Every structure is written in structure tokens, then in C-alpha cells.
């Protein structure tokens, strides 16, 4: 493995500690699966009601999830867009970039394949989704 590659992996894990729990081969697979995407301030990244096309990991910048009362801000190291993929349903909220953002997107098919091979990771993502849903109903 070359140095460049090692650095990429190291950076990935620094930004997203949850990936430390997957083995090295799978980390490598992730790097190949991730589709880089950018957004400008004010841009809508996810539209409520759409079908889920992918899960987004924020490498840099911040987004706002437009929930009814006050929006929730997510920054580098967080993820969003997991709910519609887990449920097979529709996007539950608009998500707007508030900065210039860089994302790593795991497309739906890749998400399904990768998560079925990594149940612990799926469980971690699913726990977060549950926490978020619980937060939303109590608002
Ligand atoms: P999804 O429904 O696919 O698209 C909108 C996303 O907003 C959703 O997935 C979550 O990732 C995110 N989201 C919804 N509610 C919250 C919340 N309370 N806190 C943080 N993120 C949220």
C-alpha cells in the first residue's frame, strides 16, 4: 500500500471514528465506494419526500437539517441521510448546506451491500437514527 493511500485511510478514520471498527480491507473498500460531492452555502442537499439515494458523510463544512421548530446543525465528522436508506422510505427532512461542504456519499446499493457485511456498523448507524427520531417526536 502506498503512502498516499495510507494517509487517506488515516484521515478517514480521524474524521469518522466509527470506521475504526471495520477491518482494513473494508476501509479500503469504503474508499472505493465513496462518491465525493460538494455543496455551496444555501444549497439543498436532501429534499424532504424524495426517495433515499445515498447516505452522506460530512468531510468538511456544515449542514442544517430543517426540522419544524429549530434546525439541527451537523458538521464535519457527522452523517445524514441514513433514515430513508434504513427504512426504504422517503427523506424525512430537507438538509441545506450552510458552508461550502465536502461529502462522501455512500449510494443506496453500496450502503445495502456494505452494511449487510458489517452488522455492527449498521447497528451504530441505526442507533443514531433511532435517537434522532426520538428527538424529533419529542419536539
Ligand atoms: P433522511 O430522512 O434520509 O433525510 C433527512 C435526514 O436528516 C435524515 O435522514 C437524518 O439523517 C437527518 N435528521 C433527521 N432528524 C435529525 C435530527 N434530529 N438530528 C440530526 N439529523 C437528523
Amino acid at each position: 500500500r502506498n503512502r498516499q493511500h495510507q494517509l487517506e485511510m488515516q484521515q478517514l478514520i480521524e474524521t469518522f471514528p466509527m470506521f475504526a471498527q471495520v477491518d482494513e480491507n473494508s476501509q479500503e473498500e469504503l474508499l472505493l465506494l465513496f462518491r465525493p460531492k460538494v455543496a455551496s452555502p444555501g444549497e439543498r442537499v436532501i429534499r424532504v419526500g424524495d426517495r433515499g439515494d445515498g447516505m452522506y458523510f460530512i468531510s468538511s463544512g456544515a449542514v442544517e437539517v430543517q426540522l419544524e421548530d429549530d434546525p439541527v446543525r451537523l458538521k464535519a465528522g457527522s452523517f445524514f441521510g441514513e433514515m430513508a436508506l434504513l427504512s426504504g422510505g422517503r427523506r424525512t427532512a430537507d438538509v441545506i448546506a450552510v458552508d461550502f461542504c465536502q461529502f462522501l456519499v455512500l449510494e443506496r446499493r453500496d450502503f445495502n451491500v456494505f452494511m449487510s457485511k458489517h452488522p455492527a456498523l449498521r447497528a451504530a448507524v441505526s442507533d443514531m437514527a433511532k435517537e434522532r427520531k426520538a428527538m424529533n417526536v419529542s419536539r
Side-chain angles (χ1 to χ4, degrees), residues 46 65 67 72 80-84 91-93 95 132 135-136:
I46 279 183
V65 181
L67 299 168
V72 169
F80 59 93
E82 79 288 1
M83 286 184 183
R91 295 300 195 189
T92 59
V95 181
R132 288 172 169 176
M135 182 205 250
N136 295 352

Side-chain angles (χ1 to χ4, degrees), residues 6-138:
Q6 252 176 304
L7 275 174
E8 256 184 277
M9 302 260 240
Q10 206 176 307
Q11 216 182 359
L12 183 77
I13 291 162
E14 263 168 40
T15 313
F16 308 105
M18 67 189 300
F19 295 132
Q21 62 177 297
V22 309
D23 57 89
E24 250 177 65
N25 286 336
S26 303
Q27 287 168 0
E28 211 151 325
E29 191 188 343
L30 263 180
L31 286 179
L32 297 172
L33 293 176
F34 277 141
R35 301 280 170 260
K37 189 174 167 146
V38 296
S40 302
E43 198 175 322
R44 180 175 8 215
V45 184
I46 279 183
R47 181 187 299 265
V48 63
D50 279 358
R51 291 204 60 201
D53 56 341
M55 175 174 175
Y56 293 68
F57 294 87
I58 310 173
S59 315
S60 70
V63 300
E64 257 177 22
V65 181
Q66 308 288 147
L67 299 168
E68 289 209 350
D69 313 313
D70 26 26
V72 169
R73 188 171 288 233
L74 300 175
K75 53 185 176 52
S78 309
F79 60 78
F80 59 93
E82 79 288 1
M83 286 184 183
L85 296 194
L86 290 168
S87 70
R90 303 277 162 170
R91 295 300 195 189
T92 59
D94 280 329
V95 181
I96 312 287
V98 294
D99 281 327
F100 288 99
C101 292
Q102 291 180 298
F103 306 115
L104 295 171
V105 183
L106 194 55
E107 290 174 356
R108 181 174 45 196
R109 281 195 46 205
D110 296 331
F111 174 93
N112 287 333
V113 173
F114 194 83
M115 292 303 178
S116 66
K117 286 192 283 186
H118 297 92
L121 195 63
R122 179 192 280 275
V125 172
S126 167
D127 284 349
M128 177 60 91
K130 272 182 212 147
E131 236 174 79
R132 288 172 169 176
K133 270 188 243 167
M135 182 205 250
N136 295 352
V137 293
S138 67

